[in-house]
Amino acid sequence: MKVLVINCGSSSVKWQVVESDSGKRLAEGKAERIGSDGRTHEDALKEILEEAKTHAPEAVGHRVVHGGEAFHAASVIDDEVLGAIEACVPLAPLHNPVNLAGIHAARALLPDVPHVAVFDTAFHSRMPRRSRMYAIDTELAKEKGIRRFGFHGTSHKFVAGLAADYLKTPVQDLRIITLHLGNGASACAVELGSSSETSMGMTPLEGLVMGTRSGDVDPGVVLKLARELGIDEAERVLNRESGLKGLSGIGNDLRDLQAKAEEGHDGARLALTVFAHQVRKYIGAYAAVMGGVDAVVLTGGIGENSAPMRRRILQRLEFLGVRMDEDANQGAKVTDDDPVRDISEPGARVKTLVIATNEELEIARQTQEIASGAKKIAQKKPIPIAVSARHIHLTREALDALYGEGYELTPYKPLSQPGQFACEEKLTIIGPRNKIEGVRILGPLRPGCQVEISRTDEFFLGVDAPVRHSGKTKGSAPITLEGPKGTLKLEEGLICAWRHIHMTPADAEAYGVKDKEYVEVAVKGGPRDLIFGDVLVRVKDSYALEMHIDTDEANAAELGRMSEGDIVDAEVYVTPNDAEAVIREKS
Ligand code: AMP
């Protein structure tokens, strides 16, 4: 699809016509001097469209800086969406109004093609609460709309995707630190395929040292400047006179600072040192936040082009597994056509990649997805809930020990997940305090034994079973099983099952969730509404849409008395991940 990508700034409009499938750039340009001599965005867009129209764009993708809480993804622009972007103006007073001006002008001039808004904030919109909340009074924060939003999302998403392609691993299985280092700079912890933490905050002023923005400072510094210089001047100083410019006393262009530093300029040296230090600090922090890191990606004008700055940043990170090959670093040149360079030492545990970002292409791709209807969010259907009573999975050897050599299980009834069945056979499970008789075996046989009980069972048995994903029994609790032909003591295998939803890729698409993501599920409409947090999403072609909870969880939501296999259609919706306990276990 040919997409016209429009990026409206306060005094300029950058544009490209991109062939979104091939990534080919068909035309590009920049209209400047908007605001001077009464020249408006509409005037500029008229000129742009004259030229762009010769390429017959089939859709228009607009970069919109702030999507607030309303947008988790790109969206076709209609009046409702315009209203929601308008509502975000107070959050981005410099950016959203000009983005809107561009949208209005372009829609009037190109009324017959779909227009799509792609938000800088959307990629971060599923950040967990622990990352997006500032530690101030929650009521006040809510009233004033104070929270972390994050920016540069289009770039972080694009380079994380390219890193995953390069590593031939699904992005959901990687922990990536993306560093967008340009005149504006931000770091992002990309986990489970989306942003779990990012350095820019409610505004693009927080975080890394930037060209002219300060990045992190003690909030006391802001107060002092505001008190002594006045609010407007403090704002100007922090946004326009700080960062590399403020530290060096020279300017914000890294190339100049590198040249001056070589000549021995103190301010330039200081600026480079503080910049690199701050980036390295965030790498360490994000590795800690994600419990490890698989790849570090550098992008943006500085990340892509400055080998000396990359070296400064990446030194002394060997303890994390980040080992850079200096020759590869010096030789790394990236382009849109050849966007990825691996600068890690061979065998380094963490891959260090230089990647050319291409926000226009990402905007074009998202625009195509939305405009072509390919990603139309399907009507959300209720999720059937299956309540799992306590049950047992056995290995061949365990069945032999409990029922005699070569014994075959007798299917009693099929379960909803294809190929699974409840058996006639039942066992007694014996804990230190009590035993429970008549616990059903589920087939077919598996490579590992697993006994799933509820918390209530656990107290009764007198054991301490961890909450685990199915199959993750290493280090779980011991339990004894008693069958007609013998007793079997399992050293591990007793768990409380982690609540989860099975779904097909189509269901996942409809709900806007991904495999291994954690979501909240609200059970509504019953006598005891309940929101389940930390629900693991498991996506596979062979799955049937179904949420699995145990009897305690079902009782808490008053989902009736059920035995294994029974299904209740509850009114359920899935909300963005708010899970606090992101446990990185592969299911
Ligand atoms: P961006 O905002 O992504 O365009 O990045 C702009 C920043 O990248 C400026 O600080 C430039 O000085 C820096 N930059 C661009 N090219 C180079 C280069 N070859 N070496 C060092 N810094 C560069």
Side-chain angles (χ1 to χ4, degrees):
M1 180 183 272
K2 284 184 204 163
V3 180
L4 170 60
V5 176
I6 294 179
N7 182 353
C8 258
S10 50
S11 65
S12 69
V13 181
K14 286 192 266 180
W15 65 275
Q16 282 186 15
V17 179
V18 182
E19 172 50 68
S20 53
D21 291 313
S22 65
K24 204 166 164 233
R25 196 175 288 183
L26 303 175
E28 65 185 305
K30 188 173 180 183
E32 292 177 290
R33 291 183 299 104
I34 296 166
S36 56
D37 311 331
R39 205 167 119 87
T40 63
H41 282 90
E42 192 163 5
D43 299 333
L45 277 162
K46 266 188 194 147
E47 289 163 25
I48 289 169
L49 287 178
E50 280 299 301
E51 196 178 338
K53 263 184 176 170
T54 62
H55 297 278
E58 298 154 85
V60 184
H62 295 267
R63 176 183 181 216
V64 180
V65 166
H66 219 307
E69 302 205 335
F71 296 100
H72 299 298
S75 176
V76 170
I77 298 171
D78 56 18
D79 290 346
E80 198 183 331
V81 167
L82 278 175
I85 298 173
E86 184 88 51
C88 297
V89 165
L91 294 166
L94 299 180
H95 295 103
N96 273 30
V98 290
N99 298 155
L100 278 166
I103 292 173
H104 285 301
R107 278 180 99 206
L109 293 162
L110 264 184
D112 299 327
V113 300
H115 290 248
V116 174
V118 180
F119 301 93
D120 278 15
T121 47
F123 184 56
H124 306 294
S125 67
R126 286 162 184 268
M127 265 189 300
R129 209 164 31 175
R130 61 176 179 270
S131 309
R132 51 170 212 261
M133 296 296 288
Y134 293 108
I136 60 175
D137 179 278
T138 46
E139 284 305 312
L140 183 67
K142 203 165 162 193
E143 185 193 322
K144 302 286 179 200
I146 293 173
R147 51 160 286 187
R148 179 183 307 287
F149 288 104
F151 299 87
H152 286 149
T154 315
S155 177
H156 289 298
K157 178 169 195 264
F158 181 78
V159 296
L162 279 189
D165 292 347
Y166 175 79
L167 298 171
K168 298 191 171 60
T169 308
V171 70
Q172 290 94 319
D173 288 347
L174 290 168
R175 292 161 298 182
I176 309 174
I177 299 174
T178 51
L179 303 165
H180 180 107
L181 310 177
N183 202 28
S186 68
C188 182
V190 183
E191 198 177 7
L192 300 163
S194 63
S195 165
S196 68
E197 172 70 282
T198 190
S199 59
M200 282 180 171
M202 185 181 82
T203 73
L205 185 54
E206 191 185 352
L208 304 178
V209 174
M210 299 177 230
T212 61
R213 280 171 261 170
S214 63
D216 293 339
V217 292
D218 174 356
V221 173
V222 181
L223 298 175
K224 180 178 168 67
L225 289 176
R227 205 176 289 123
E228 296 179 13
L229 306 179
I231 298 281
D232 292 343
E233 180 60 6
E235 185 170 7
R236 195 187 69 79
V237 163
L238 291 169
N239 275 294
R240 305 214 181 277
E241 303 295 338
S242 302
L244 294 175
K245 185 179 177 192
L247 284 166
S248 67
I250 300 175
N252 61 328
D253 194 302
L254 192 82
R255 280 167 295 203
D256 299 342
L257 300 188
Q258 285 179 167
K260 288 282 182 202
E262 270 176 29
E263 291 166 13
H265 189 286
D266 256 1
R269 285 185 169 175
L270 175 69
L272 300 183
T273 308
V274 176
F275 182 95
H277 171 79
Q278 187 78 340
V279 179
R280 196 165 56 239
K281 198 160 91 176
Y282 269 92
I283 295 174
Y286 287 1
V289 159
M290 295 192 286
V293 54
D294 302 307
V296 174
V297 175
L298 297 105
T299 190
I302 295 171
E304 291 171 33
N305 296 304
S306 177
M309 183 49 83
R310 291 196 295 257
R311 190 181 59 243
R312 276 174 187 270
I313 291 168
L314 296 169
Q315 66 196 346
R316 302 208 318 272
L317 289 176
E318 291 80 7
F319 74 97
L320 269 183
V322 177
R323 288 190 288 124
M324 191 192 69
D325 180 317
E326 184 50 21
D327 288 340
N329 180 40
Q330 289 293 340
K333 294 272 171 295
V334 289
T335 63
D336 285 349
D337 294 329
D338 188 7
V340 183
R341 280 283 168 277
D342 188 343
I343 59 166
S344 348
E345 268 185 18
R349 191 162 46 75
V350 176
K351 287 284 178 202
T352 306
L353 306 174
V354 178
I355 299 187
T357 194
N358 190 339
E359 290 165 275
E360 292 77 16
L361 177 55
E362 181 62 35
I363 291 173
R365 283 182 184 159
Q366 293 190 29
T367 300
Q368 177 190 8
E369 262 186 345
I370 301 287
S372 65
K375 220 184 157 185
K376 205 179 265 169
I377 303 297
Q379 194 65 36
K380 288 178 188 174
K381 46 184 172 176
I383 299 177
I385 296 188
V387 181
S388 306
R390 59 182 87 96
H391 63 265
I392 300 167
H393 300 280
L394 293 178
T395 60
R396 178 71 257 170
E397 297 71 36
L399 186 64
D400 287 348
L402 294 159
Y403 282 87
E405 196 80 14
Y407 185 85
E408 291 298 334
L409 291 168
T410 322
Y412 157 65
K413 65 175 180 181
L415 299 176
S416 49
Q417 294 306 313
Q420 310 269 315
F421 54 91
C423 303
E424 294 283 358
E425 288 79 5
K426 294 176 179 178
L427 296 171
T428 300
I429 55 180
I430 303 168
R433 192 181 299 148
N434 285 300
K435 62 181 179 182
I436 302 176
E437 295 176 350
V439 182
R440 204 179 282 282
I441 299 174
L442 301 190
L445 295 172
R446 288 189 173 188
C449 288
Q450 183 170 304
V451 181
E452 297 178 37
I453 59 170
S454 68
R455 278 274 176 266
T456 306
D457 292 342
E458 185 192 285
F459 298 136
F460 183 72
L461 291 168
V463 287
D464 189 9
V467 178
R468 286 286 180 86
H469 298 164
S470 184
K472 298 284 169 188
T473 51
K474 201 162 188 313
S476 59
I479 190 73
T480 300
L481 304 177
E482 189 181 71
K485 294 276 172 64
T487 299
L488 180 65
K489 182 165 176 17
L490 301 177
E491 292 306 328
E492 58 188 20
L494 184 73
I495 64 169
C496 278
W498 193 294
R499 49 187 171 243
H500 55 273
I501 308 175
H502 293 272
M503 54 174 83
T504 64
D507 295 325
E509 185 78 30
Y511 284 104
V513 296
K514 301 191 194 91
D515 189 33
K516 297 180 188 141
E517 197 170 342
Y518 293 82
V519 296
E520 285 182 352
V521 175
V523 179
K524 298 279 248 182
R528 293 169 90 190
D529 285 358
L530 190 68
I531 295 176
F532 290 108
D534 300 353
V535 183
L536 174 72
V537 174
R538 300 178 61 188
V539 182
K540 224 186 233 178
D541 280 322
S542 60
Y543 284 156
L545 179 64
E546 195 171 85
M547 176 164 160
H548 287 186
I549 55 176
D550 70 20
T551 43
D552 280 357
E553 292 167 319
N555 289 339
E558 203 79 41
L559 284 170
R561 284 172 196 280
M562 280 165 282
S563 58
E564 73 272 15
D566 284 347
I567 292 173
V568 155
D569 269 342
E571 189 199 326
V572 177
Y573 64 86
V574 178
T575 61
N577 182 15
D578 217 5
E580 288 301 298
V582 174
I583 303 250
R584 288 193 57 87
E585 284 185 331
K586 297 208 172 90
S587 49

